[in-house]
Amino acid sequence: MRNKIVAGNWKMNKNRADTAQLIEELMSAVTPSAAEVMIAPTFVNLAEAVTKLDGSFIEVVAQNMHFAESGAYTGEISADMLQSIGINTVILGHSERRAYFGEDDALLAKKVDAALKAGIRIIFCFGEELQDRKSGDHFKVVGSQLKNGLFHLDGDSWKNIVLAYEPVWAIGTGETASPEQAQEMHAFIRKTIAEAYNNEIAQDVTILYGGSVKPGNAKEIFSKEDVDGGLIGGASLVATDFAAIVAAAQ
Ligand code: PGA
C-alpha cells in the first residue's frame, strides 16, 4: 500500500524569523490526516526547523543536495551534511533546478544515486513544459525524464522513491492541471513503471501532483485514483492554506 504525502516546498522564501513563525503557525493549524506531512524550508533554516519540529508529525526535508560525498564544490550541500542535522528526505529535480540551474537528467541520476547510497528518501520531480503539452509530446517528455533519471535503479531502490509530477506550465501560474489531466498522467507514469519493472513497484510508488494546488482544488485533485497527495509551493507559505490542503488528503 502506498503512502499519501503532502509536502510544502518553501523555495527561496522565509528568513530565520519568518521560518520560526510559520512553523509555530503550522503546529497549531495542521492536524494529522491520512497523509505524511513535510515542509522544505531553505537550507540555512533546516537545522532550526528540525529542532522546532522534534517529536512532531511534520517532517523537515531539503530542497536539493549535491551528488558528491564532500570536496571542492563551493556553495553545495552533501547528503551527509543533511543527515547530520536530521534530514532524511530530499527533493530532487524540481523544474526550477532544471530550468535555472542547468540540472539535466544525467546530473539528476547522479544525485539520485548519492541520496539512495546515503539512505535518504527522494521526492523526484519532473513534468513537461507548455510547449510539450501543446505539441502533444507530454507523455514522451515525462516518460524520458522518468527513464533517464530513475530507470537505472534496481527494484529495491524504489522503496525510497516518491514521484512528483509537476507540469511546468502549472507551477506558480495559478493554472492547475485539471484533475483528469493529473490522473491521466499519473496513470501513464504507473504504467511506464510497471512495464520497466513490475506492477507491484508501480502500485506501491507514491505519486504526488504539484502545480498551483490550493485549498479550493486540492480535494478534487487528491480524489483521483493515482494521485497520492501533492507538492505544494505558494500555498504552503500560508499556514491555514497548507492545513486545508493536508486535510484534503483523505
Ligand atoms: P506552486 O509550486 O504550488 O506554487 O505552483 C509547486 C512546486 O513548485 O512544487
Side-chain angles (χ1 to χ4, degrees):
M1 254 291 281
R2 53 189 188 253
N3 295 345
K4 296 202 171 200
I5 297 175
V6 175
N9 175 11
W10 292 13
K11 308 189 180 184
M12 197 176 73
N13 293 294
K14 306 288 176 191
N15 65 17
R16 183 182 182 188
D18 298 338
T19 297
Q21 190 187 329
L22 181 51
I23 287 174
E24 288 295 326
E25 290 170 7
L26 288 171
M27 287 196 293
S28 56
V30 181
T31 47
S33 76
E36 282 182 69
V37 181
M38 304 175 183
I39 58 166
T42 186
F43 282 124
V44 292
N45 295 316
L46 284 179
E48 206 162 300
V50 169
T51 305
K52 279 194 178 302
L53 287 166
D54 186 27
S56 147
F57 65 94
I58 302 176
E59 180 184 350
V60 181
V61 312
Q63 298 177 16
N64 185 25
M65 60 164 253
H66 195 263
F67 60 80
E69 286 180 13
S70 64
Y73 298 98
T74 301
E76 292 292 331
I77 314 278
S78 71
D80 175 59
M81 291 169 189
L82 294 176
Q83 286 177 311
S84 72
I85 57 163
I87 302 289
N88 297 303
T89 303
V90 66
I91 298 170
L92 292 178
H94 190 277
S95 68
E96 287 144 24
R97 299 297 317 169
R98 293 176 187 259
Y100 308 144
F101 303 96
E103 297 199 9
D104 60 14
D105 291 344
L107 177 80
L108 290 168
K110 284 164 82 171
K111 292 191 175 201
V112 164
D113 289 343
L116 292 177
K117 187 172 173 215
I120 293 184
R121 177 159 65 154
I122 296 163
I123 300 177
F124 186 83
C125 306
F126 56 103
E128 82 283 1
E129 296 189 27
L130 185 58
Q131 73 248 26
D132 304 321
R133 186 152 285 261
K134 282 194 170 150
S135 64
D137 285 337
H138 44 298
F139 293 115
K140 202 170 100 203
V141 168
V142 162
S144 87
Q145 287 172 328
L146 260 181
K147 178 166 167 278
N148 296 338
L150 298 172
F151 282 6
H152 62 286
L153 299 176
D154 62 23
D156 244 19
S157 300
W158 281 78
K159 294 195 178 81
N160 274 325
I161 302 284
V162 171
L163 301 176
Y165 167 61
E166 299 204 299
V168 178
W169 48 271
I171 295 179
T173 57
E175 194 172 331
T176 326
S178 69
E180 291 70 30
Q181 284 173 319
Q183 168 57 29
E184 183 187 35
M185 186 58 87
H186 285 219
F188 167 79
I189 292 164
R190 243 183 257 292
K191 180 169 141 283
T192 306
I193 296 168
E195 283 165 7
Y197 291 88
N198 57 52
N199 201 40
E200 195 185 337
I201 291 176
Q203 289 303 321
D204 282 354
V205 68
T206 295
I207 310 178
L208 311 179
Y209 167 79
S212 299
V213 177
K214 308 280 179 225
N217 60 25
K219 207 177 170 73
E220 207 189 339
I221 295 172
F222 295 170
S223 72
K224 293 292 174 190
E225 188 186 339
D226 287 299
V227 179
D228 308 314
L231 182 56
I232 320 299
S236 74
L237 299 171
V238 179
T240 47
D241 285 358
F242 190 63
I245 294 169
V246 170
Q250 302 293 343

